Amino acid sequence: MKILVTGGLGYIGSHTVVELQNEGYDVVVIDNLSNSTISVLNGIEAITGIRPEFEELDLRDNSKLKDFFERHNDIDGVIHFAASKAVGESVGKPLFYYENNVSTLIHLLQELLKLDKQNIIFSSSCTVYGEADKMPITENAPIKPAQSPYGNTKQICEEILIDTCNVSSYLKTIALRYFNPIGAHPSAEIGELPQGVPQNLVPYITQTAIGLRKELSVFGNDYPTPDGTCIRDYIHVVDVAKAHVVALERLLNNHQTSNYEVFNIGTGKGSSVIEVIEAFERVSNQKLNYKIVERRTGDVMSAYADISKAKNMLGWTSSLTLDEAMRDAWQWEQKIRTK
Ligand code: NAD
Ligand code: WQD
């Protein structure tokens, strides 16, 4: 079985390529290297013993994509990670985000609809729920008006998939709404490579501990939560990657109950910012330098997943703990800084 992974050299994509290859799939990766490096191929090869086929290609380039599919018309499924993901950046560059995240999905679907096998898994996000009314968040929770162009692109892409599935019954789609993927491969061969100052909590923690940043700013401790800091559903990236393999099998084995399905991908457990810091301190055996500052604009107080749909219908649950994720994130940070 041949699987196309777009954005397959990125953070979640590279971990998914590893899991696919471990399960015996042939993988072709498309990436334009805008937020990744070619050396990720070495990491994937070091873990699996297999170097996936790779094409440096920008999905915005319609004609190159068309040419790619003419040469690879035997693809059995597509996992579409490629997108830009910096929420703050998207506010300043809305057109870039709409082009890079929305037009690329359209190009991909146009080509996919010409194939015999029309299976696609789409990377969505818990960001579509915004500040949800009820915890844990089920897939039926209302989609809230997006707080950023990035969030908007995920909502629009889901709608594009729904509308296309409505008229193309051969097209089979699963949208996975990830909560907060963290950590790295336990081998420390692949992990997250944030450009510039990290906006996300865990890379900020590990970069502070390694000495790249002076201290972590904790954005607010006056939320109505047990310790006053925000709550999120942090999930090990390897668990997220494995969810793609089971979702793909559901598509390939025709097990869907409708040709568009959506699943939350989280642990089902919320952790506060302070709990994440404490987990880091436990696994690294060191104190983290941090201070409490003002709330960050746009942050929701709490977001964690109801995972019963994924458990019941995909037969998937996460298996790695927050401590394991922090251990692997820390191992990875140490490895890349000593290279
Ligand atoms: P990432 O930036 O590490 O990976 C994305 C990859 O896509 C990169 O390698 C980048 O070079 C590539 N890419 C971007 N635009 C491209 C284009 N036009 N053509 C070809 N390649 C292109 O991001 P990630 O964290 O691995 O996220 C993967 C997907 O999951 C994204 O769609 C993201 O929005 C979504 N997501 C991520 C998170 C998260 O916290 N990391 C949470 C929810 C959803
Ligand atoms: C987590 C918690 C911060 C940094 C983002 C995107 C979302 C989705 C997941 C893609 C929050 C706190 C953070 C720091 C802090 N991505 N924090 N100091 O905000 O849940 O979501 O990633 O789809 O769209 O918005 O993740 O890692 O930025 O923050 O105190 O320096 O850590 O306030 O409570 P978030 P995050």
Side-chain angles (χ1 to χ4, degrees):
M1 288 276 183
K2 187 165 158 184
I3 308 303
L4 167 63
V5 181
T6 76
L9 298 193
Y11 175 45
I12 308 172
S14 58
H15 289 81
T16 303
V17 172
V18 164
E19 297 306 322
L20 288 168
Q21 293 192 158
N22 282 344
E23 293 301 319
Y25 290 98
D26 290 328
V27 176
V28 190
V29 170
I30 285 180
D31 205 299
N32 68 352
L33 304 178
S34 58
N35 199 32
S36 53
T37 65
I38 193 82
S39 63
V40 175
L41 286 171
N42 300 336
I44 294 171
E45 190 176 4
I47 300 168
T48 63
I50 303 162
R51 200 170 182 85
E53 201 179 326
F54 172 64
E55 291 228 9
E56 185 174 342
L57 196 155
D58 193 318
L59 293 173
R60 288 172 296 177
D61 189 334
N62 235 338
S63 64
K64 288 219 173 98
L65 190 63
K66 198 162 176 281
D67 168 69
F68 171 90
F69 273 98
E70 276 162 11
R71 287 181 285 112
H72 294 90
N73 60 6
D74 55 345
I75 283 171
D76 296 287
V78 178
I79 307 185
H80 179 45
F81 293 103
S84 296
K85 63 166 179 179
V87 177
E89 182 188 57
S90 78
V91 176
K93 292 182 178 176
L95 293 181
F96 173 76
Y97 270 71
Y98 288 116
E99 183 182 26
N100 206 45
N101 293 8
V102 180
S103 81
T104 51
L105 174 69
I106 295 171
H107 295 162
L108 201 55
L109 287 174
Q110 283 165 339
E111 296 310 315
L112 189 60
L113 292 182
K114 297 176 190 163
L115 299 186
D116 291 340
K117 307 266 184 68
Q118 301 177 5
N119 299 309
I120 182 166
I121 296 175
F122 173 69
S123 296
S124 191
S125 168
C126 65
T127 196
V128 300
Y129 298 119
E131 182 90 62
D133 307 322
K134 268 198 270 170
M135 289 300 136
I137 306 173
T138 71
E139 289 82 353
N140 293 329
I143 302 302
K144 293 278 174 77
Q147 297 296 310
S148 68
Y150 168 77
N152 233 338
T153 68
K154 292 297 168 190
Q155 298 187 358
I156 294 167
C157 284
E158 285 197 11
E159 283 175 12
I160 289 172
L161 288 166
I162 292 168
D163 290 344
T164 315
C165 280
N166 277 339
V167 292
S168 307
S169 55
Y170 286 117
L171 177 65
K172 292 186 283 170
T173 297
I174 291 181
L176 299 179
R177 293 179 181 154
Y178 320 141
F179 280 65
N180 290 61
I182 59 164
H185 197 269
S187 65
E189 294 290 349
I190 53 173
E192 196 171 2
L193 287 169
Q195 287 182 3
V197 181
Q199 304 303 305
N200 296 116
L201 178 63
V202 172
Y204 208 104
I205 289 178
T206 55
Q207 288 197 8
T208 304
I210 206 97
L212 277 178
R213 315 273 154 220
K214 194 167 133 274
E215 63 191 348
L216 169 77
S217 295
V218 173
F219 297 136
N221 69 346
D222 57 351
Y223 286 93
T225 61
D227 65 22
T229 64
C230 291
I231 291 177
R232 297 287 183 276
D233 189 337
Y234 298 95
I235 174 164
H236 198 299
V237 66
V238 171
D239 277 329
V240 177
K242 288 184 173 164
H244 292 78
V245 179
V246 293
L248 180 69
E249 280 161 4
R250 185 173 174 85
L251 292 178
L252 296 175
N253 296 326
N254 286 312
H255 285 165
Q256 285 189 294
T257 52
S258 100
N259 68 337
Y260 177 82
E261 291 178 330
V262 56
F263 296 97
N264 284 342
I265 299 299
T267 63
K269 184 178 177 301
S271 303
S272 72
V273 177
I274 294 295
E275 284 172 330
V276 175
I277 294 171
E278 286 169 354
F280 175 77
E281 292 183 335
R282 256 193 316 274
V283 300
S284 67
N285 246 323
Q286 60 173 286
K287 284 277 159 211
L288 186 79
N289 198 15
Y290 72 90
K291 65 171 180 202
I292 308 292
V293 301
E294 290 294 290
R295 293 181 178 193
R296 180 170 71 176
T297 313
D299 266 343
V300 299
M301 173 183 73
S302 185
Y304 56 96
D306 183 318
I307 48 159
S308 39
K309 189 175 175 194
K311 194 172 172 187
N312 296 336
M313 293 175 72
L314 290 177
W316 171 91
T317 48
S318 68
S319 61
L320 297 161
T321 62
L322 177 61
D323 279 23
E324 286 167 319
M326 296 309 289
R327 176 202 65 196
D328 294 339
W330 180 226
Q331 264 196 182
W332 168 246
E333 186 70 60
Q334 293 174 93
K335 159 106 183 268
I336 52 176
R337 302 304 159 195
T338 52
K339 254 186 188 168

